[in-house]
């Protein structure tokens, strides 16, 4: 008698994790937990923000140890039972912030919100003037608003509306009103500043000139520059400094010294021209900044404005729609799922839905980036905001409001614009101390010039130049504006990037792992080979087979039905006595004929078998050998074979396969042109996967993989560099989460898209190359902007301190700095699929055997 030992059941600890934003966060948390002694396995779920830790038998682990490991990785554990614990989604809300002028304002608002109890994280975007607040516990909105106001700014909950077009229109109206106010001030400022310059330099200093300069400069300093002074005073009351402080202080020093020189220090030079020109030039820069920032957000506003304001309602949900009715005009925002609407030729589809009647080409380029109209027939889905073609369509509404595709795309892009990359976090850290350092630099400059024996005026002028030339605005805008334009342009092309962190990880990509079905292939089996065994054209046997399979939803049955329809063959009425043999096939009586449809092996093996359960009416030896040989030949070419027997005779062998997408080969070639290796990860049979790999030119092919196998393959490939995973199904979700960059096809499952870093609205594999190119281009613009912002200050501040750069030129340089980074970012608006084409490179060899 042998002894048996029962292994103890491993203990499992579940808890919530807060702070995760993407798949790389999942990996970091899993690694941190996995490195804790006594942890056998750690599984982290981004969608539910939860972790499940399996402990090694006999090795208890204290909860605090796990919490410390997670915190060292940069995240925080939410205890079980907490209202925001495992299995729940952390709450978040969006605030509109007004009064910010530079990156130091961003840091101050983030700190103020972050200090409110219950706030896990606050991300503030200077370009969009929005704050995304992540909560770890319920928080009163008023507490958040008070915190922002205490910091010296104004806040309000972001307006929620079910009409994206109306919201976009309101944003445009507010921006135009702001620009009109700024234009009026600029006109006055420019006119008066020109007059001051004329008096200062065009007329030899008569005794009355300083008084006229004072009269002309005062409105410029007090009214045109009122925004700068008000912002500086507000910051000062709250113990802070920002860009307004620098501009206000610099212009005030020049203005009030000149006033003193006019009335008390007679004979001393005045600098009213410096005060007026500083305010005017920097106001011009702020105007251009607001103007270009508006252009940066035009893409997302255009998306939000695609949906029409009215819809032609045929029937409310549950009612019977009248055929041919013109419909009753109602507000599109009032549509509900289940309503039936008519979309006339040339009109915009008012909401997501399914075509119930009609056939027409629909232009989806505004959502997918595809210029070729997609043919829509009954049963096909349509997206709200797309444009109907030449025939009327009846559409049953499936999603409206925040659930619609357009609203989800808009929300995804807006969330992406709030995410911060490493570059942005670096800029934020610098900007948090930037203005105090500049104030110290200006003080040191003034003191140094005085110490060198120079007069007071000679010391004041370079100090003013230092104050004016320093520009934290460029630092604050460098990254968010680039991300805004890049993600907006991506949304126009159907490429949805989840945020700035993705841009960092795309840089080091070496390998792209691609799921086969639905990504490289159409994801819908089709009949591609028809071999007749009876000397006919096979149309009769195919029609009988289609009728036999008419009530079946099996993919192979659907392929046979579609093949008969595509060939224009009249299909008899479906049988009522069809009998299925699970895993083998189907038999039925159709038009007085005995028909059997199923695997060739089953039909050939059952030839001559006695009648009874599981048998088919196939005559012994008649064409069975020929059918078997045909099936073997088709199988060698990666086909799934189906035989058709009529009245005991094998008449037909059909080869079915999931064909390549028309764009698959070109898409893989484009990835190769970017220097990337393409690896196929498929759960299909080896011969099928190998054939697809050969057809598209993949570098490696791995077949017969389960979901965990795909994730393991990604981890194995990551030993040789960063990996992107492209997939569309639930079975791809683990690999998408494991990869450095997960790319989901929007036609796939919600689980796949929730786990991905990039989502493709359309399934073109070439769009993967576009997404990578766009991410790389956006990242390149970000670093160009940061290099300019840092370099600008590093070079010009010393020149100003040395007295080489006068205050007026310093003001001009400061005005140009912010505009330059926004203008550079706007170059991304010209990004197109064609712009990402590169000269093909040598294809790399396989990494894995």
């Amino acid at each position: 008698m042998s002894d048996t030992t029962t292994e103890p059941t491993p203990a499992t600890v579940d808890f919530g994790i807060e702070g995760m934003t993407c798949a790389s966060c999942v990996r970091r948390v899993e690694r941190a937990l996995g490195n804790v002694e006594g942890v056998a396995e750690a599984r982290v779920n981004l969608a539910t923000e939860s972790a499940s830790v399996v402990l090694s038998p006999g090795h208890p682990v204290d909860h605090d140890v796990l919490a410390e490991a997670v915190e060292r990785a940069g995240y925080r554990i939410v205890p079980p039972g907490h209202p925001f614990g495992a299995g729940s989604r952390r709450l978040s809300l969006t605030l509109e912030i007004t009064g910010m002028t530079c990156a130091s304002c961003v840091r101050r608002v983030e700190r103020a919100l972050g200090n409110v109890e219950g706030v896990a994280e606050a991300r503030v975007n200077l370009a969009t003037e929005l704050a995304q607040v992540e909560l770890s516990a319920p928080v009163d909105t008023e507490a958040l608003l008070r915190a922002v106001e205490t910091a010296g700014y104004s806040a309000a909950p972001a307006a929620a509306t079910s009409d994206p077009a109306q919201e976009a229109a309101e944003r445009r109206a507010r921006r135009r009103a702001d620009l009109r106010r700024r234009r009026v001030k600029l006109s006055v400022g420019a006119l008066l500043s020109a007059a001051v310059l004329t008096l200062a330099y065009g007329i030899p200093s008569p005794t009355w000139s300083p008084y006229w300069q004072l009269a002309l400069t005062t409105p410029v300093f007090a009214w045109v520059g009122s925004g700068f002074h008000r912002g500086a005073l507000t910051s000062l009351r709250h113990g802070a400094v920002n860009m307004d402080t620098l501009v206000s202080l610099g212009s005030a020093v020049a203005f009030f010294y000149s006033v003193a020189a006019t009335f008390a220090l007679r004979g001393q030079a005045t600098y009213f021209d410096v005060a007026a020109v500083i305010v005017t030039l920097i106001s011009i820069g702020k105007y251009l900044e607001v103007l270009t920032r508006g252009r940066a957000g035009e893409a997302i506003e255009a998306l939000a404005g695609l949906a029409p304001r009215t819809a032609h309602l045929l029937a409310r949900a549950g009612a019977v729609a009248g055929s041919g009715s013109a419909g009753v005009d109602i507000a599109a925002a009032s549509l509900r799922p289940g309503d039936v609407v008519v979309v006339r030729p040339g009109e915009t589809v008012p909401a997501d839905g399914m075509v119930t009647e009609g056939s027409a080409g629909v232009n989806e380029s505004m959502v997918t980036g595809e210029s070729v109209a997609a043919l829509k027939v009954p049963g096909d889905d349509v997206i709200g905001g797309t444009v109907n073609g030449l025939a009327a369509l009846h559409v049953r509404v499936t999603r409206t409001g925040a659930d619609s595709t357009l609203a989800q795309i808009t929300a995804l892009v807006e969330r992406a614009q709030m995410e911060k990359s490493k570059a942005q976090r670096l800029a934020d850290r610098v900007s948090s101390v930037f203005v105090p350092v500049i104030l110290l630099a200006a003080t040191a400059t003034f003191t140094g010039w005085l110490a060198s024996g120079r007069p007071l005026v000679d010391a004041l002028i370079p100090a003013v130049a230092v104050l004016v030339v320093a520009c934290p605005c460029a630092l604050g805008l460098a990254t968010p504006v680039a991300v805004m334009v890049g993600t907006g342009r991506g949304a126009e092309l159907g490429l949805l990037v989840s945020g700035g962190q993705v841009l960092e990880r795309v840089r080091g990509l070496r390998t792209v792992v691609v799921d086969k079905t639905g990504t490289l292939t159409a994801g819908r089996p089709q009949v591609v080979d028809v071999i007749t065994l009876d000397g006919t054209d096979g149309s009769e046997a195919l029609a009988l087979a289609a009728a036999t399979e008419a009530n079946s939803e099996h993919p192979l049955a659907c392929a046979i039905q579609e093949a008969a329809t595509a060939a224009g063959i009249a299909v008899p009425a479906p049988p009522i006595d069809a009998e299925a043999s699970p895993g083998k096939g189907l038999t039925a009586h159709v038009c007085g004929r005995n028909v059997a449809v199923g695997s060739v092996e089953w039909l050939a093996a059952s030839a001559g078998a006695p009648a009874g359960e599981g048998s088919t009416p196939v005559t012994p030896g008649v064409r069975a050998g020929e059918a078997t040989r045909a099936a073997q030949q088709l199988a060698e070419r990666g086909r799934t074979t189906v035989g058709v027997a009529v009245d005991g005779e094998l008449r037909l062998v059909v080869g079915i396969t999931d064909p390549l997408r028309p764009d698959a080969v070109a898409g893989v070639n484009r990835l190769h042109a970017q220097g990337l290796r393409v690896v196929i990860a498929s759960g299909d049979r080896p011969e099928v996967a190998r054939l697809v790999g050969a057809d598209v030119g993949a570098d490696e092919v791995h077949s017969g993989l389960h979901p965990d196998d795909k994730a393991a393959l990604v981890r194995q490939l990551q030993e040789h560099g960063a990996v992107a995973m492209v997939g569309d199904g639930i079975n791809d979700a683990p690999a998408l989460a494991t990869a450095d960059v997960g790319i989901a096809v929007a036609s796939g499952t919600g689980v796949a898209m929730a786990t991905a870093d990039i989502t493709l609205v359309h399934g073109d594999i070439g769009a993967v190359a576009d997404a990578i190119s766009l991410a790389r281009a956006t990242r390149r613009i970000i670093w160009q902007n940061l290099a300019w912002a840092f370099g600008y200050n590093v070079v010009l501040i010393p020149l100003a301190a040395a007295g080489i750069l006068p205050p007026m030129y310093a003001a001009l340089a400061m005005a140009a700095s912010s505009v330059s980074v926004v203008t550079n970012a706007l170059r991304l608006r010209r990004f197109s699929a064609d712009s990402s084409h590169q000269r093909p490179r040598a294809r790399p060899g396989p990494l894995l055997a």
Side-chain angles (χ1 to χ4, degrees), residues 443-460:
T443 303
T445 299
F446 177 73
T447 305
W449 279 78
L450 280 181
S452 68
R454 298 298 182 91
L456 176 67
V457 174
D458 289 351
L460 277 178

Side-chain angles (χ1 to χ4, degrees), residues 490-725:
E492 290 179 329
L493 297 172
L495 316 171
L496 309 181
V497 181
S498 66
Q501 296 186 28
V502 178
L503 306 177
E504 299 289 344
R505 298 196 299 274
V506 164
R507 175 186 59 165
L509 278 183
R510 182 177 179 185
T511 305
V512 177
V513 179
V514 184
D515 173 55
K516 178 183 71 67
T517 305
T519 307
L520 292 174
T521 64
R524 190 171 183 173
Q526 296 179 14
V527 173
V528 292
D529 296 287
V530 177
I531 299 177
T532 60
L533 307 174
D534 58 1
T536 68
D537 62 1
S539 58
E540 180 189 24
L542 186 59
L544 294 172
T548 302
E549 300 279 16
N551 295 322
S552 173
E553 296 182 358
H554 192 282
L556 300 184
C558 295
I560 292 174
Q561 297 166 44
E562 291 173 0
T565 302
I569 300 172
V571 178
I576 60 175
D577 62 346
E579 180 181 350
S581 297
K584 299 176 182 178
L586 194 66
T587 59
H589 291 87
V590 181
C591 298
R593 314 288 291 275
N594 295 321
V595 183
V597 182
S599 71
V600 174
E601 294 82 359
W602 172 57
L603 293 175
S606 62
E613 185 178 356
S615 67
T616 58
V618 178
T619 305
V622 177
R623 304 192 185 97
E626 187 179 349
T628 301
R629 287 191 297 273
Q632 290 172 346
Q633 292 172 358
L634 293 176
E636 290 173 357
R637 294 161 56 191
R639 312 294 195 239
T640 299
T641 56
V642 174
V644 180
V646 179
D647 293 335
E649 295 184 3
L650 271 163
R651 300 270 301 273
L652 212 61
V653 176
V654 176
I656 301 175
T657 190
D658 185 4
L660 284 179
R661 295 176 57 92
D663 48 64
V665 176
V668 171
N669 287 339
R670 291 186 55 198
L671 291 173
H672 282 146
Q674 293 181 336
L676 298 169
R677 301 175 58 260
V678 179
V679 175
I680 293 178
S682 173
D684 209 337
R685 294 171 295 156
E687 60 270 19
V688 175
R690 281 197 301 270
L691 284 169
V692 171
D695 288 341
V696 300
D699 299 291
E700 289 182 28
V701 177
H702 299 265
S703 57
L705 303 181
H706 297 293
D708 291 344
D709 298 329
K710 291 184 179 181
L713 172 63
V714 169
R715 285 192 290 269
Q716 191 177 2
L717 291 168
Q718 284 173 329
E719 297 175 2
H720 305 277
V723 176
M725 172 68 195

Side-chain angles (χ1 to χ4, degrees), residues 738-773:
T738 303
D740 297 276
V741 179
I743 304 175
V745 178
S747 57
T749 66
V751 175
M753 287 183 282
T755 317
D757 301 302
I758 300 174
T759 300
L760 310 180
V761 176
H762 49 89
D764 182 354
I765 189 64
V768 176
D770 292 337
I772 293 173
S773 293

Side-chain angles (χ1 to χ4, degrees), residues 227-237 240 242 244-245 248-249:
F228 301 124
H229 307 317
R230 189 165 49 248
L233 290 173
T234 301
S235 296
L236 186 61
R237 280 200 305 270
N242 58 13
D244 289 335
T245 306
S248 178
L249 184 59

Side-chain angles (χ1 to χ4, degrees), residues 168-508:
E170 291 174 354
R171 281 199 298 265
R172 286 195 296 271
R174 288 195 297 268
R175 188 166 62 247
R176 289 185 185 127
D178 182 32
L179 289 172
R180 279 195 299 271
R181 288 192 297 269
R182 291 176 182 273
R183 276 198 300 270
V184 172
K185 285 191 173 184
L186 279 180
S187 300
V188 174
L191 182 63
L192 295 180
S193 296
V196 172
L197 287 172
T198 301
L199 289 173
Y201 298 101
I203 300 176
S205 305
T207 56
W208 49 265
S209 179
Y211 300 99
W212 276 106
Q213 290 183 45
L214 171 61
L216 294 172
T217 302
T218 299
V220 180
F221 175 77
W223 182 60
V224 178
S226 59
F228 301 124
H229 307 317
R230 189 165 49 248
L233 290 173
T234 301
S235 296
L236 186 61
R237 280 200 305 270
H238 294 89
V241 289
N242 58 13
M243 185 213 76
D244 289 335
T245 306
L246 300 179
V247 177
S248 178
L249 184 59
S251 59
V253 168
F255 180 78
F256 288 112
Y257 171 82
S258 299
V259 171
T262 300
F263 294 101
L265 306 173
R266 296 182 181 276
Q268 296 294 324
T270 60
Y271 294 92
F272 288 115
D273 55 320
V274 173
V277 171
I278 284 174
V279 170
T280 301
L281 286 179
I282 296 179
S283 296
I284 291 174
K286 296 302 290 183
Y287 172 82
L288 293 176
E289 178 188 316
V290 172
L291 181 65
T292 50
R293 276 163 52 183
R295 291 176 182 169
E298 284 177 356
I300 195 65
E301 289 187 1
L303 277 175
L306 286 176
R309 307 298 292 271
T310 60
H312 312 306
L313 180 67
L314 288 181
R316 278 296 183 187
V320 178
S323 177
S325 172
V328 178
D329 288 353
I330 65 170
S334 66
L335 287 174
R336 301 191 299 264
D339 291 347
V340 178
V341 298
V342 61
V343 186
R344 299 165 185 164
E347 290 185 339
T348 302
V349 179
D352 291 2
M354 183 183 72
V355 177
T356 60
E357 184 178 326
S359 174
V362 175
N363 184 351
E364 298 180 331
S365 61
M366 63 287 298
V367 177
T368 66
E370 292 289 340
S371 58
V372 179
L375 178 64
K376 300 295 182 180
V377 298
D380 287 345
D381 293 330
V382 289
I383 301 173
T386 56
V387 180
N388 187 24
L390 302 177
L393 294 176
H394 289 191
V395 176
R396 177 175 288 106
V397 175
T398 55
R399 291 187 298 271
T400 60
D403 295 328
S404 68
T405 300
L406 272 180
Q408 290 177 1
I409 289 175
T410 303
L412 179 61
V413 174
E414 288 177 344
R415 285 198 301 272
Q417 293 172 354
M418 297 301 298
E419 294 291 338
K420 294 193 175 184
S421 64
K422 292 179 181 178
Q424 179 62 48
R425 289 193 291 272
L426 170 63
D428 287 349
R429 285 195 296 270
V430 172
S431 64
S432 64
V433 297
F434 184 86
V435 177
V437 168
I438 293 304
L439 290 175
L440 290 175
T443 303
T445 299
F446 177 73
T447 305
W449 279 78
L450 280 181
S452 68
R454 298 298 182 91
L456 176 67
V457 174
D458 289 351
L460 277 178
I461 294 303
V464 169
V466 170
L467 290 172
V468 173
V469 78
C471 186
C473 303
L475 280 175
L477 291 171
T479 297
V481 170
V483 172
M484 178 191 294
V485 180
T487 53
R489 180 56 181 156
E492 290 179 329
L493 297 172
L495 316 171
L496 309 181
V497 181
S498 66
Q501 296 186 28
V502 178
L503 306 177
E504 299 289 344
R505 298 196 299 274
V506 164
R507 175 186 59 165

Side-chain angles (χ1 to χ4, degrees), residues 68-95:
E68 289 175 5
V70 173
E71 288 173 2
R72 282 196 301 271
Y75 308 92
R76 193 165 75 89
I77 281 182
V78 180
H82 191 282
F84 291 78
S88 67
R89 292 294 294 169
R90 190 172 66 195
L91 296 183
S92 66
L93 55 88
T94 304
L95 302 177

